[in-house]
Amino acid sequence: MVRAPCCEKMGMKKGPWTPEEDQVLIDYIQRYGHGNWRALPKQAGLLRCGKSCRLRWINYLRPDLKRGNFSKEEEDTIIRLHEVLGNRWSAIAARLPGRTDNEIKNVWHTHLKKRVKQNPATPDTIRQSMKIDECNEHVEIDSNPLKLSTHQLFQRPGCIPLSPQQQSSSDLSSSGTDSSIVTTSEYLNRPMKDDQSVDDDENVWWEELSAEKQANLEYSEANPADTQLQFPSSSLVYRPHNDESMDFWLNLYMEAGEWPELPEL
DNA sequence: AAAGGTCGCAACCGCGGGAAT
DNA sequence: AATTCCCGCGGTTGCGACCTT
């Protein structure tokens, strides 16, 4: 059964909000909060659906919104984050205080997309990323939608190197020109021996690979920043196993303006 | 000055995921 | 376990403002 959109209810108003409606919504939320968006309009006396109220509050009425034009720094930040995160506007907005995902999406489509297209070399990150790609073993080319955030992140450090032991023990067929280099994709697609079960779900392989390698990683739960310094070897596979560690890498990237190099022993 | 085209922004829509039942 | 509900997200649209001819 398909649920009817909430706004199709008779009597629900659509279109631009009036100042009076805005004030009703502000007054209500300031007094009672917004625990249940669906119930809110009825309780507040608004002829709007909950979805419309939520959108209006989040994108326009929230007191912590910055408003006004984006600064050059904010635009650069969006470009860099977009390169890493793609169209994940809410994730980008989470790193730009006072800005909404809708606002960022609009500014991307109206200004920044053109800017990047006209001058693709302008964001230094592109060059920097290429530089990193060149100096490391290989670039992760796998794309798994379910792991997109992690994968996109690590397409830049990209370089998720496999240990030499891993390469020699997994009986890999090398399709590349350099047999000492194995991408994660090649690992995941490696031919199976008879006694190895083949799982169609790449996620499983990916998870197994990660779990296997995380065991060798001295990861500090208490202080993720320590993790960077605790690679037993730069040839180990590492994958952030939660959002916190992903944020750690992303913050490093944002602060430094480039991806940190994996430490060598 | 007017008509047509383009831009920018606010709002809507449909979908997916997680929580609740 | 299945269904329903709600929220949040990303893509898209509508329309007023501005620009060009």
Side-chain angles (χ1 to χ4, degrees):
Chain A
M1 194 178 94
V2 179
R3 217 181 329 148
C6 60
C7 291
E8 280 183 12
K9 279 188 177 178
M10 291 297 289
M12 287 296 185
K13 195 178 165 190
K14 286 169 68 176
W17 281 62
T18 64
E20 291 75 23
E21 286 177 311
D22 283 346
Q23 199 54 53
V24 170
L25 185 58
I26 291 169
D27 289 346
Y28 183 88
I29 291 178
Q30 281 178 348
R31 190 175 294 183
Y32 304 108
H34 52 73
N36 185 340
W37 286 112
R38 200 175 169 84
L40 187 148
K42 197 176 179 182
Q43 292 166 354
L46 284 164
L47 288 174
R48 296 276 182 172
C49 69
K51 212 171 178 178
S52 180
C53 292
R54 178 186 159 272
L55 207 67
R56 184 64 179 168
W57 175 257
I58 297 287
N59 287 338
Y60 202 82
L61 300 176
R62 252 168 50 197
D64 58 330
L65 290 180
K66 203 179 268 182
R67 315 305 305 274
N69 293 338
F70 280 64
S71 68
K72 177 78 166 54
E73 288 72 28
E74 285 177 312
E75 290 187 350
D76 289 344
T77 300
I78 292 169
I79 290 171
R80 281 176 17 195
L81 284 170
H82 186 269
E83 198 199 331
V84 178
L85 297 167
N87 292 0
R88 295 175 60 212
W89 307 116
S90 61
I92 294 172
R95 290 170 175 84
L96 282 168
R99 300 299 188 181
T100 70
D101 53 356
N102 205 38
E103 209 175 4
I104 291 169
K105 183 169 52 180
N106 283 336
V107 82
W108 172 261
H109 284 125
T110 53
H111 295 112
L112 305 182
K113 193 165 68 176
K114 290 175 209 157
R115 196 172 116 189
V116 170
K117 203 173 180 180
Q118 281 170 1
N119 188 10
T122 296
D124 288 341
T125 53
I126 295 175
R127 271 200 304 277
Q128 287 164 352
S129 300
M130 289 172 67
K131 204 165 66 188
I132 290 171
D133 289 349
E134 285 164 11
C135 72
N136 282 280
E137 292 90 329
H138 69 270
V139 176
E140 166 60 56
I141 58 167
D142 192 11
S143 61
N144 179 339
L146 293 174
K147 303 292 177 195
L148 194 57
S149 58
T150 303
H151 277 213
Q152 284 191 329
L153 179 66
F154 273 81
Q155 275 173 356
R156 287 311 161 200
C159 323
I160 304 179
L162 292 172
S163 66
Q165 302 94 302
Q166 183 64 60
Q167 293 168 38
S168 58
S169 64
S170 58
D171 196 19
L172 293 150
S173 68
S174 175
S175 55
T177 52
D178 185 346
S179 63
S180 69
I181 297 173
V182 182
T183 68
T184 304
S185 295
E186 286 171 338
Y187 176 83
L188 295 173
N189 295 322
R190 71 192 188 281
M192 294 293 116
K193 291 177 180 173
D194 290 344
D195 58 343
Q196 283 179 293
S197 62
V198 179
D199 198 310
D200 291 337
D201 186 357
E202 269 195 1
N203 290 340
V204 177
W205 281 111
W206 177 252
E207 292 297 340
E208 283 178 0
L209 177 66
S210 307
E212 182 185 342
K213 288 302 154 191
Q214 274 175 21
N216 295 325
L217 179 68
E218 293 178 53
Y219 179 78
S220 168
E221 289 282 356
N223 184 9
D226 288 346
T227 301
Q228 185 196 8
L229 304 173
Q230 292 180 351
F231 283 108
S233 158
S234 67
S235 61
L236 283 177
V237 172
Y238 172 63
R239 168 177 177 265
H241 58 277
N242 57 26
D243 286 345
E244 187 178 296
S245 54
M246 178 177 154
D247 278 344
F248 160 66
W249 282 99
L250 196 51
N251 287 337
L252 275 183
Y253 171 68
M254 294 305 294
E255 285 164 16
E258 61 182 316
W259 290 110
E261 294 198 25
L262 297 178
E264 294 285 350
L265 282 186

